[in-house]
Amino acid sequence: MKYLWTEDTGAGLHFWKLINQIFFDNELAIESKGSNQGMLDALSDLEIKKGDEYYIAFDYVVDNQDIRNKYRLLKSIAEKSEGKVVILDLICFEYLILTFDKLVPWTGTGKADKIKIRDDILSAIEDHRINLSKIDDEKTLQYLAGFKRYSTERVMKSLVGELTENEKWSVKGSLMGECWYKDCCISEHPDNLRCGEPEVEDGSEKMRMLIQSESVQKVLNQI
C-alpha cells in the first residue's frame, strides 16, 4: 500500500485528497498527522509492513530552526527505512498554489502590489528559502520586514491568503474554495471586483491544470 502523510489539515489536506482522486485514481491512502511533530511521532512508532511505502509531505524551510531540527530527525528515519519512507521535496502546500501561473487571472485579484510582491518572492526562492539578496524592490522588502516571526513558510501562507481572499478561491478554510474543483465561474457576478475568469469552467479540468503545473509535478514525480 502507498501512503501519503501530510501535516496539513483543512484545505491543504483537501488538496492532497483531490490530487489522489484526480491524478492517482485513489491509489494512495491520504492521512493527516496534524502537525510536523505529529508526523515525527507517527513515524517513530511505525512498523513498516512488506510492500508498504510512505510518502511524507513535510513543510520544509531552512529559515525556521525548529523545522530544520525536525527535518533532520525525519531524514534520519527515512535513511534507515531502506527506501520505504520518502520525503517529498516540498516547501509547503501554499507555495504550490502561489507558483501556479493561472492564480492571478483565475482569482481575479486586483491587488497589484501583492501581485508584484509575489513575482519578486517567487524569483528569489532558492534552496527552500527566500534569498533576500535577490530582492531589490523596497516595497517587497518592507512587506517581508513586517513579519514579526519571519520565515519563508509564513510569507507563503500570508501572501497566498491575500491573493485568494474571495471565498470561492480560498485555500484557508476546511476545504479548498469550490471554484478550484467544482463547475463554477465566479465571473457570473460582475459586481464582485475580485472575480476572475478561468478559461475552463469544468472543476476537474481546473484541478488537473493545477496538478500539471511545474511545481506540483516536481513533487508528484517522486511518488
Side-chain angles (χ1 to χ4, degrees):
M1 185 71 185
K2 289 185 176 181
Y3 296 86
L4 189 149
W5 285 5
T6 175
E7 61 187 77
D8 289 321
T9 58
L13 176 59
H14 187 211
F15 169 77
W16 293 112
K17 287 182 175 180
L18 287 169
I19 284 179
N20 187 35
Q21 174 188 327
I22 295 170
F23 190 73
F24 289 108
D25 197 24
N26 290 316
E27 176 187 350
L28 307 176
I30 308 293
E31 297 180 11
S32 171
K33 299 305 173 184
S35 66
N36 52 21
Q37 186 60 55
M39 186 96 72
L40 284 173
D41 292 343
L43 284 168
S44 297
D45 297 335
L46 182 65
E47 293 184 8
I48 301 176
K49 297 178 181 178
K50 185 177 180 180
D52 285 351
E53 298 174 1
Y54 292 83
Y55 297 91
I56 309 302
F58 183 94
D59 296 352
Y60 178 53
V61 292
V62 300
D63 48 16
N64 181 311
Q65 188 60 50
D66 179 62
I67 290 177
R68 289 177 66 182
N69 292 340
K70 288 174 179 173
Y71 185 80
R72 277 195 288 267
L73 293 173
L74 174 61
K75 195 172 180 181
S76 175
I77 293 171
E79 288 172 348
K80 296 173 183 176
S81 73
E82 299 180 345
K84 300 298 184 181
V85 175
V86 177
I87 307 170
L88 300 180
D89 185 8
L90 180 69
I91 291 179
C92 59
F93 146 69
E94 289 83 2
Y95 172 74
L96 301 179
I97 301 297
L98 201 63
T99 59
F100 184 44
D101 62 350
K102 303 293 184 182
L103 177 65
V104 171
W106 280 13
T107 61
T109 179
K111 296 184 174 182
D113 58 334
K114 296 304 187 297
I115 294 170
K116 174 64 167 63
I117 289 171
R118 167 186 179 257
D119 293 342
D120 289 345
I121 287 174
L122 291 181
S123 66
I125 292 294
E126 187 177 88
D127 298 327
H128 288 256
R129 68 185 177 96
I130 300 169
N131 185 345
L132 297 176
S133 67
K134 289 190 171 184
I135 298 176
D136 298 322
D137 186 80
E138 185 175 339
K139 288 185 178 180
T140 299
L141 291 172
Q142 287 176 349
Y143 174 80
L144 295 173
F147 285 84
K148 291 183 178 180
R149 295 174 60 194
Y150 171 86
S151 78
T152 294
E153 183 179 14
R154 286 181 180 274
V155 173
M156 297 298 166
K157 290 179 182 294
S158 177
L159 190 54
V160 81
E162 293 196 67
L163 293 173
T164 58
E165 274 191 340
N166 189 309
E167 65 178 15
K168 297 288 188 179
W169 292 104
S170 174
V171 293
K172 294 178 71 174
S174 58
L175 298 173
M176 291 186 71
E178 63 182 21
C179 277
W180 285 107
Y181 62 96
K182 287 187 178 181
D183 299 353
C184 73
C185 183
I186 58 174
S187 61
E188 294 168 0
H189 307 287
D191 55 318
N192 188 333
L193 297 178
R194 292 195 303 274
C195 279
E197 191 168 2
E199 61 269 39
V200 294
E201 294 187 25
D202 178 80
S204 294
E205 182 59 26
K206 283 183 290 186
M207 198 63 203
R208 282 192 192 94
M209 291 175 72
L210 173 59
I211 292 169
Q212 291 296 338
S213 65
E214 182 178 352
S215 294
V216 176
Q217 282 298 302
K218 182 181 176 182
V219 175
L220 299 186
N221 284 341
Q222 298 174 265
I223 301 176

